[in-house]
Amino acid sequence: MRHILINLFLIIILSVLVYMGLDAVGLLPVGASAQAETIDWLFNIELIAIAFLFSLIVVPTAYSLVVFRRKKGEEGEGEHFSGNTKLEIIWTAIPLLAVVVLAYMGAWSLGDALRVDPQAMVVEVTAFQWAWKFDYPDYGITTNELYLPVDKQVELKMESPDVIHSFWVPEFRIKQDVVPGQVNILRLTPIELGAYTVRCSELCGISHSYMNAPVVVVTEEDFQAWVEQKKAEIPDTVGPDANRGELIVEQNGCFACHSVDGSIIVGPSWSGLYGSDVELADGTVVTADDAFLKESIMDPNAKIVAGYPANAMPSYSLSDEEIADIIEFIKTLQ
Ligand code: CUA
C-alpha cells in the first residue's frame, strides 16, 4: 500500500511537470479562427493525457528498478504471480471508457468546427501549380492574397485544375485538400486581426514548397476599403494593356516560375525576352515574338527552351485579349 501511494504521488507530480513543460514549449502558433478554439481545447486535453500516460509508465518502471532491485546478499528468484481477474477487469474497463469519451469529444469538436453560418461570405479558391487564386464573386474581384473580414465566416469553395493541393493556414488550424474534378468546401471564421500565410501542404511538384500566399485578416471597414481599391485597380481600357497584363500574370501565378529581373526560378525569365532570339532544346533558334509567346502559354510543350525541362508548365486557356495583355506586359520588360 505504501508503494502504491508513493507511486501515485510521483505520477501526479511528473504529470504536472511534463504538462507544464509541453505547454511552455508553445507547440502551436496563435489560434486565429473560431475553429481553432475547439481544436486547441481538444489538443490541450490530448497533452494532459499524454503527460499522464507518460508518467504512468515511467514512474512505476523507474520506481521498481530502484526500490525492488536485488540487494546485497539476496539470493534466488522473486515471487511468481499468474492471473488477476480484478486487475484485468480494471485495465479493460478504464481504456474502454477513455476511448468512448475521446470519441465523443472528437465528434463534438468536429461538429463545432464544421458549423455552417448561412451568412458566410463566399470566396472561390483555385489552387494550381504553383500558386493560389482567390475570386470574390460578390465583389467581382480576383487576387492572389486572401483578405478576410474579422468575425465573419468565410466559405472557401476550392478547386484545382491540375493535381492535388491542400489549403493550410496553421493559425486557423483547419486544413482541406483541393482535389481536381470536385469542389471542396472549407469554412472558417477569423477572429484575430493579422497577417498569416496559406501554405500548400500536399506535395504537388517542383515548386510545391514555394506555393504560399498571404492571408490578411482586417476589420469589416478595412475590408470594404480593400475591395474598392482592388476594383479601382482593374484598367478599363480597350486593346492590349500592360497593366492589365501584369494583373492577369499575377492572378495566374506566373511569377512563381518566371522572374522579371533576369533571375531563373523554374522557367525562363521574361526580362529582355520579347523580340530576343531563343534557342530551343532541339537546337533551332526562334524569335520570341507574339506568336511564340502565345503558343508557349497555350501549349507550353510545343517548343521547349534549351536548358529547361519539358512538362514543367501547365497549359493555360486564356482569351486572345488576355494573352495580348500579357504580351504587352512582357514587352515592357526590356
Ligand atoms: Cu500545391 Cu503543394
Side-chain angles (χ1 to χ4, degrees), residues 165 200 202-204 208 211:
H165 304 273
C200 177
E202 185 75 53
L203 185 59
C204 59
H208 154 72
M211 194 173 154

Side-chain angles (χ1 to χ4, degrees), residues 88-101:
E88 280 176 22
I89 289 173
I90 292 173
W91 76 38
T92 307
I94 291 179
L96 184 69
L97 196 70
V99 168
V100 170
V101 169

Side-chain angles (χ1 to χ4, degrees), residues 28 70 108 223 252:
L28 295 173
R70 175 184 287 192
W108 183 85
F223 179 74
N252 285 285

Side-chain angles (χ1 to χ4, degrees), residues 82-312:
S82 70
N84 187 326
T85 313
K86 207 200 285 173
L87 202 57
E88 280 176 22
I89 289 173
I90 292 173
W91 76 38
T92 307
I94 291 179
L96 184 69
L97 196 70
V99 168
V100 170
V101 169
L102 284 174
Y104 174 78
M105 293 196 312
W108 183 85
S109 302
L110 185 65
D112 196 56
L114 296 178
R115 189 157 295 150
V116 173
D117 179 353
Q119 307 289 313
M121 176 179 82
V122 172
V123 178
E124 291 163 3
V125 178
T126 312
F128 54 97
Q129 289 168 317
W130 288 279
W132 300 90
K133 190 169 81 160
F134 306 103
D135 288 295
Y136 292 73
D138 297 345
Y139 303 104
I141 52 178
T142 299
T143 72
N144 293 107
E145 32 183 19
L146 183 59
Y147 263 69
L148 298 173
V150 72
D151 292 331
K152 188 176 166 77
Q153 190 179 77
V154 56
E155 179 185 5
L156 301 174
K157 293 185 167 175
M158 310 202 283
E159 280 183 280
S160 162
D162 40 53
V163 298
I164 302 177
H165 304 273
S166 189
F167 181 99
W168 183 41
V169 179
E171 289 84 357
F172 294 158
R173 301 293 188 269
I174 45 181
K175 183 168 156 186
Q176 174 63 53
D177 275 8
V178 189
V179 181
Q182 65 186 68
V183 180
N184 282 358
I185 307 279
L186 182 68
R187 289 174 178 272
L188 61 95
T189 314
I191 54 168
E192 290 277 342
L193 298 178
Y196 312 102
T197 302
V198 52
R199 293 149 216 280
C200 177
S201 61
E202 185 75 53
L203 185 59
C204 59
I206 198 163
S207 290
H208 154 72
S209 56
Y210 300 108
M211 194 173 154
N212 298 340
V215 177
V216 186
V217 178
V218 293
T219 59
E220 178 65 34
E221 226 168 59
D222 288 352
F223 179 74
Q224 293 303 336
W226 173 79
V227 167
E228 291 313 315
Q229 183 207 331
K230 281 284 147 186
K231 278 185 180 167
E233 273 175 17
I234 306 168
D236 51 4
T237 52
V238 180
D241 184 298
N243 289 327
R244 197 165 47 220
E246 185 173 7
L247 208 62
I248 296 167
V249 160
E250 244 174 52
Q251 290 166 356
N252 285 285
C254 311
F255 292 140
C257 300
H258 299 282
S259 81
V260 294
D261 63 0
S263 59
I264 304 303
I265 310 171
V266 174
S269 174
W270 291 347
S271 169
L273 173 63
Y274 190 82
S276 68
D277 288 336
V278 175
E279 198 194 333
L280 301 181
D282 63 9
T284 55
V285 174
V286 295
T287 303
D289 54 11
D290 291 41
F292 170 77
L293 293 177
K294 181 174 180 178
E295 184 185 46
S296 297
I297 295 168
M298 307 286 278
D299 183 10
N301 286 317
K303 294 191 174 71
I304 300 295
V305 177
Y308 294 91
N311 301 314

Side-chain angles (χ1 to χ4, degrees), residues 56-91:
L56 189 65
I57 293 165
V58 167
V59 167
T61 309
Y63 187 86
S64 305
L65 278 173
V66 176
V67 176
F68 303 127
R69 71 185 186 279
R70 175 184 287 192
K71 299 184 181 83
K72 240 187 195 147
E74 277 181 351
E75 291 286 324
E77 292 178 5
E79 208 177 328
H80 283 271
F81 294 93
S82 70
N84 187 326
T85 313
K86 207 200 285 173
L87 202 57
E88 280 176 22
I89 289 173
I90 292 173
W91 76 38

